[in-house]
Amino acid sequence: MWRYGVSILKPYHYFHCKSCPADSKSNLTKTPVIKSSNSLTLMTTITESDVGILCFISHLPGFRGILKQRYSDFIVNEVDTEGNVVHLTSLDAPPEAVQEGETKTPDQLNKCYASEIIKFRSLAGDTDADRLEAFINQITSGSEEDICPIVLSPDSDKSHRTAMHNFFKENLRFLVTDTVDGPDSSSKCIRVRLNSGNNNKGRNSKKRKERGDKPYDSRGSSHWPEHLGKFLRFHLYKENKDTQEALGLIGKMLGIQPRSFGFAGTKDKRSVSTQRVTVFKQHASRLAALNERLIGIKVGDFCYVKDDFLLGQLLGNRFTIILRGIVADSEETIKASVESLGRHGFINYFGLQRFGSGSIPTHRIGATLLRGEWQAAASTILDPREGERDFVSKAREYYKETGDIEGTLRQLPRHLVAERAMLQCLKKCPGNYLQALKAIPRTLRMMYVHSYQSYLWNHAASMRVEKYGSNEVVLGDLVYCKGNDAEKVKVVPSEHEDNNFEDAYDCSQLDEISGTDLPEGKNNLVKAITAADISTGNYTIEDVVLPMPGSRIIYPVNDIANVYHDMAKKDGISLTESVHNIKEFSITSMTGSYRRVFQKPIDFEWELLSYTDGSIALSETDLDKIAKTKPVNLVKEEKPTDGTEGQDSSDHMEHIESFEDDKKFSTGNVEVEGSREAEPPQIHSLPESNSLGTQKALKLAFTLPASCYATMAIRELLKTSTSVAFHKTLNQ
């Protein structure tokens, strides 16, 4: 029988729970930073233990596996607010309307849909087929009456509903579908409507922050047809590019600004991902025409809607992950570990990506801001750092030695958004470091403080697991209320109510994607576990949450609360009083939030594979599926972790040219582990074959809510570091 609890394994120099309580405690409070008058002296390498990632759930041994040997080994598909997995299914633009005021295209008016109805009848049955046929006849008849949506028969089979949604995407693209509640709690219904807008209200109607008087790019198409929604929604497919980099390139080709685009969350650079995007007043035909020119990017599945996307408007992400080069004692070891992950989940840590690279940990800048040390924080962001490309290092050194802002701005690449914004401000207001910090886009500058909150949360989660295990709730634990308990406590914020959008500009540090932190519900209530709760068994370990520090949260009513205050005190920070009056850099001015300590993968699937050629993909991307039916011109950029996989010299030259063009539009401000993958690949003489002998790979597929890190699930499985640098060593 397997046993579960807190792992005491200590591979790769982790400071682990239970293994050495004294050492563990010291590492919960140590501060890897030396304060000086002008800047911070920072560690050169950030490790999981440095940011509080210390424990595992299971005692089972890990095994060897390489994460992201190829970027196509990490596939991310967004999950929309209806629970549908977002896929790229078509690259074609829908027919444009004949004239203003009409909602029907020539194809809709003239084409016969008899063959599509026959297909649909075999999928959905006679009743829904007849209903759809009547609906299409109403659209194509030219009737002036309002065309109301239709709702199909109740369906409790999610896979069948997915097939239905895909049918409309592939065969009837002038119609759009979504999922609504059925007549009972166990069923759902598919709603079908004409693809001419989006009537959602509520959060969708919120204005974006910081847009001023002009909420969208004024260079959108003029004389926009009144019957069309003002936003074009499309699916963005990208390979080995972060979200802002891809949208920056598309924006440059269209001649529009990045603020024209809306999206629900950023996706990892080193991955293949598909997500929804909106753009203001652009015709689908313009974007579809870019597909022949875009490298590593495709756009499709177009429709016009009334509202744009805001960060956080997603349920989560579906991951398909390949771990290559699997080495274990036996297949039973692998099976036991994988099944344990599926049953018990993982500790819901904030992953390394949250904290930037070792040379400039974002939580340390956050601590400096919370102390009100404006010059030190500004210097840390601007000063030279290890691990950057030569031309960036030279620009930083030049500024440090000369103070020449104009000359530095000419050298500094555009993707360093924070640095450029600060220098532009310092040019106008010399010596005003606080104003320079405020010049950084809000979503980016707030990331530093939120990173410090995450740092405290990780350490508190480790102490909770170390002290009380991962099997049962204990006295004083915090949980979301159930039933009658909800009437006895006051409303407090749910997960990340006040910091949903911190990662909007910092795409380079996100590995999943989750990207943003989606609230579990604005009105969720939190209470401390009592002896009566334990005796009734109303709450389980899955209900336990821990707070992100703020003014409107409560702390556990046990000694886990001390972790927050003791660690903050070591950093010279009070969680109850602020030493300055700058609200955005003060925890006491933030609402605070809650985060579940344990997370199980949803719809979890896995299989062991064998392969002999490391250059062969082991999972199918959305573009691969499209290519089966229609040739697709996509320039491949893929390379392995060591930068040599599957390339010839002509590929290298094309990639270098692409990089020089693309690099101007990356908005990731923080250099992170693995960020050097963006460098132009070096030309090598390659072996004629990638044959490796027969090797094992583990294929995993699962869904996680927004704000959860897939790498933390992989860490629980392998019992090894999730850093890019570590997994590069496995590939050598």
Side-chain angles (χ1 to χ4, degrees):
M1 178 179 291
W2 299 331
R3 296 176 58 218
Y4 304 99
V6 181
S7 175
I8 60 173
L9 296 174
K10 196 175 180 181
Y12 307 106
H13 308 291
Y14 283 169
F15 296 99
H16 276 298
C17 309
K18 306 284 189 184
S19 59
C20 183
D23 287 346
S24 178
K25 183 175 180 181
S26 67
N27 278 284
L28 284 171
T29 58
K30 78 170 187 177
T31 304
V33 60
I34 301 172
K35 290 184 284 184
S36 66
S37 58
N38 295 319
S39 64
L40 305 177
T41 303
L42 299 168
M43 69 185 86
T44 57
T45 302
I46 189 171
T47 66
E48 289 179 343
S49 61
D50 292 323
V51 294
I53 303 172
L54 306 172
C55 300
F56 299 108
I57 289 180
S58 82
H59 285 285
L60 295 171
F63 51 89
R64 181 189 189 273
I66 305 173
L67 178 64
K68 296 188 183 182
Q69 185 178 54
R70 299 166 55 90
Y71 59 73
S72 59
D73 288 344
F74 201 91
I75 298 176
V76 186
N77 291 87
E78 191 169 88
V79 178
D80 67 21
T81 53
E82 300 291 338
N84 302 308
V85 180
V86 176
H87 289 282
L88 183 72
T89 62
S90 171
L91 303 178
D92 301 324
E96 298 290 347
V98 177
Q99 60 184 23
E100 271 192 48
E102 289 188 359
T103 60
K104 297 118 186 142
T105 65
D107 274 1
Q108 294 169 2
L109 293 171
N110 301 325
K111 180 177 177 180
C112 174
Y113 289 93
S115 61
E116 284 81 358
I117 294 297
I118 292 173
K119 288 182 188 177
F120 187 75
R121 193 177 300 277
S122 65
L123 176 65
D126 292 337
T127 301
D128 285 341
D130 292 340
R131 192 174 295 161
L132 177 63
E133 186 174 23
F135 185 59
I136 292 176
N137 288 340
Q138 182 188 3
I139 294 171
T140 58
S141 66
S143 171
E144 295 296 325
E145 298 177 2
D146 289 340
I147 300 174
C148 297
I150 61 171
V151 178
L152 303 181
S153 302
D155 189 352
S156 59
D157 186 343
K158 184 177 180 180
S159 62
H160 183 256
R161 293 199 306 271
T162 300
M164 297 270 279
H165 287 300
N166 289 337
F167 174 86
F168 284 91
K169 291 176 182 178
E170 295 168 5
N171 299 280
L172 300 170
R173 288 194 297 273
F174 65 95
L175 300 177
V176 64
T177 61
D178 59 3
T179 305
V180 297
D181 290 333
D184 56 71
S185 59
S186 64
S187 67
K188 299 284 185 180
C189 296
I190 291 178
R191 180 173 57 184
V192 184
R193 62 185 187 273
L194 184 62
N195 190 0
S196 60
N198 185 339
N199 296 319
N200 291 337
K201 300 296 181 183
R203 292 186 66 202
N204 289 356
S205 63
K206 291 195 303 183
K207 296 293 184 183
R208 283 180 181 275
K209 294 181 179 179
E210 301 184 339
R211 280 178 167 164
D213 295 332
K214 293 184 178 180
Y216 305 106
D217 194 336
S218 59
R219 289 182 288 177
S221 298
S222 58
H223 309 296
W224 191 255
E226 291 183 3
H227 71 281
L228 287 181
K230 291 185 178 181
F231 297 91
L232 175 67
R233 186 180 72 197
F234 63 94
H235 291 177
L236 171 67
Y237 170 96
K238 59 184 183 62
E239 299 184 349
N240 203 31
K241 286 181 171 57
D242 66 47
T243 301
Q244 287 279 22
E245 178 186 4
L247 293 180
L249 184 57
I250 292 172
K252 181 193 177 188
M253 291 180 168
L254 294 174
I256 61 175
Q257 299 177 21
R259 66 183 182 189
S260 296
F261 296 100
F263 51 90
T266 54
K267 311 301 175 193
D268 182 33
K269 170 185 169 62
R270 189 163 179 80
S271 69
V272 175
S273 68
T274 305
Q275 67 186 106
R276 302 160 301 150
V277 178
T278 53
V279 62
F280 183 60
K281 285 188 177 181
Q282 293 294 324
H283 288 285
S285 56
R286 288 197 70 200
L287 270 78
L290 301 180
N291 280 325
E292 293 299 316
R293 299 163 54 197
L294 289 166
I295 298 176
I297 302 170
K298 292 295 176 187
V299 292
D301 297 278
F302 304 99
C303 69
Y304 296 99
V305 297
K306 291 182 179 179
D307 300 302
D308 68 334
F309 283 126
L310 299 176
L311 286 167
Q313 289 179 339
L314 76 167
L315 286 186
N317 295 280
R318 181 73 180 171
F319 298 94
T320 304
I321 298 172
I322 303 293
L323 298 174
R324 293 180 183 255
I326 295 294
V327 178
D329 294 339
S330 66
E331 288 193 9
E332 286 303 313
T333 297
I334 300 170
K335 180 180 178 181
S337 295
V338 175
E339 290 183 347
S340 174
L341 175 63
R343 285 199 305 271
H344 302 282
F346 57 95
I347 304 170
N348 196 21
Y349 288 123
F350 290 96
L352 281 175
Q353 306 85 342
R354 183 78 160 194
F355 305 97
S357 72
S359 63
I360 180 169
T362 53
H363 65 289
R364 286 295 144 207
I365 299 175
T368 312
L369 293 172
L370 292 171
R371 290 193 296 265
E373 299 171 1
W374 315 129
Q375 184 175 356
S379 296
T380 303
I381 295 172
L382 293 171
D383 280 354
R385 62 189 68 165
E386 295 183 10
E388 288 190 312
R389 293 184 290 273
D390 287 344
F391 67 92
V392 177
S393 296
K394 289 179 181 178
R396 292 187 186 276
E397 290 285 358
Y398 177 80
Y399 176 68
K400 189 174 180 66
E401 293 172 3
T402 68
D404 177 8
I405 293 178
E406 287 285 2
T408 304
L409 286 171
R410 285 193 293 269
Q411 300 178 50
L412 208 60
R414 293 184 184 180
H415 73 269
L416 297 180
V417 174
E419 289 87 339
R420 293 186 64 87
M422 290 176 62
L423 290 173
Q424 293 283 7
C425 181
L426 288 172
K427 183 171 65 173
K428 298 176 183 178
C429 309
N432 193 336
Y433 297 104
L434 173 59
Q435 197 62 34
L437 291 164
K438 287 186 173 183
I440 301 171
R442 184 178 186 277
T443 48
L444 180 52
R445 67 178 184 262
M446 293 306 296
M447 173 199 66
Y448 299 124
V449 175
H450 297 325
S451 178
Y452 187 76
Q453 290 175 301
S454 304
Y455 166 78
L456 295 181
W457 190 97
N458 275 2
H459 279 291
S462 288
M463 183 62 81
R464 166 60 180 81
V465 177
E466 174 188 356
K467 189 158 186 123
Y468 299 116
S470 58
N471 294 319
E472 298 175 341
V473 295
V474 299
L475 200 65
D477 271 341
L478 299 183
V479 294
Y480 287 124
C481 293
K482 296 179 180 179
N484 294 333
D485 286 338
E487 301 175 3
K488 303 174 184 177
V489 296
K490 64 180 181 179
V491 175
V492 289
S494 180
E495 182 169 338
H496 290 192
E497 179 176 325
D498 65 346
N499 58 347
N500 293 341
F501 312 136
E502 70 267 33
D503 295 327
Y505 287 85
D506 190 41
C507 304
S508 65
Q509 76 162 332
L510 300 175
D511 96 329
E512 20 277 31
I513 42 358
S514 290
T516 58
D517 300 320
L518 183 68
E520 294 183 5
K522 289 290 182 91
N523 294 320
N524 277 355
L525 308 176
V526 171
K527 60 163 285 181
I529 288 290
T530 64
D533 294 321
I534 293 176
S535 64
T536 58
N538 287 338
Y539 295 94
T540 70
I541 193 67
E542 295 177 22
D543 299 313
V544 176
V545 300
L546 282 172
M548 296 280 281
S551 61
R552 292 179 56 196
I553 55 91
I554 60 175
Y555 289 96
V557 188
N558 52 36
D559 51 8
I560 303 305
N562 296 333
V563 176
Y564 290 92
H565 297 286
D566 291 347
M567 293 194 65
K569 186 177 180 180
K570 290 282 187 180
D571 289 330
I573 295 167
S574 169
L575 299 181
T576 57
E577 298 178 359
S578 179
V579 297
H580 56 76
N581 60 359
I582 308 302
K583 290 185 176 181
E584 63 183 287
F585 298 142
S586 169
I587 283 183
T588 58
S589 297
M590 296 180 180
T591 304
S593 54
Y594 297 93
R595 179 179 177 88
R596 294 185 187 275
V597 178
F598 304 99
Q599 178 64 51
K600 290 183 180 180
I602 303 165
D603 296 331
F604 184 64
E605 302 172 343
W606 67 278
E607 65 176 316
L608 273 174
L609 307 172
S610 297
Y611 67 99
T612 57
D613 189 340
S615 67
I616 301 299
L618 299 179
S619 55
E620 194 173 47
T621 68
D622 288 348
L623 201 64
D624 292 332
K625 296 172 185 176
I626 293 176
K628 287 181 177 179
T629 58
K630 180 179 179 180
V632 177
N633 178 26
L634 179 74
V635 178
K636 290 284 185 180
E637 298 182 287
E638 180 143 16
K639 55 181 179 281
T641 306
D642 63 3
T644 61
E645 180 179 88
Q647 296 179 336
D648 57 32
S649 59
S650 62
D651 286 336
H652 284 289
M653 297 308 297
E654 186 161 22
H655 299 165
I656 293 171
E657 181 179 357
S658 171
F659 170 80
E660 289 300 322
D661 189 44
D662 291 359
K663 70 183 179 184
K664 300 177 183 177
F665 303 98
S666 169
T667 56
N669 149 272
V670 181
E671 293 291 330
V672 299
E673 292 187 9
S675 61
R676 277 175 281 179
E677 292 171 28
E679 296 179 24
Q682 302 300 310
I683 298 177
H684 303 281
S685 58
L686 301 177
E688 294 183 0
S689 171
N690 286 308
S691 179
L692 305 168
T694 300
Q695 295 203 46
K696 291 288 185 183
L698 178 62
K699 182 177 182 179
L700 305 165
F702 53 87
T703 299
L704 292 179
S707 86
C708 296
Y709 287 73
T711 48
M712 293 297 96
I714 301 303
R715 174 183 177 273
E716 175 68 31
L717 189 66
L718 300 181
K719 303 294 193 297
T720 61
S721 171
T722 57
S723 72
V724 173
F726 172 74
H727 283 270
K728 281 185 176 181
T729 65
L730 298 183
N731 199 49
Q732 294 173 354

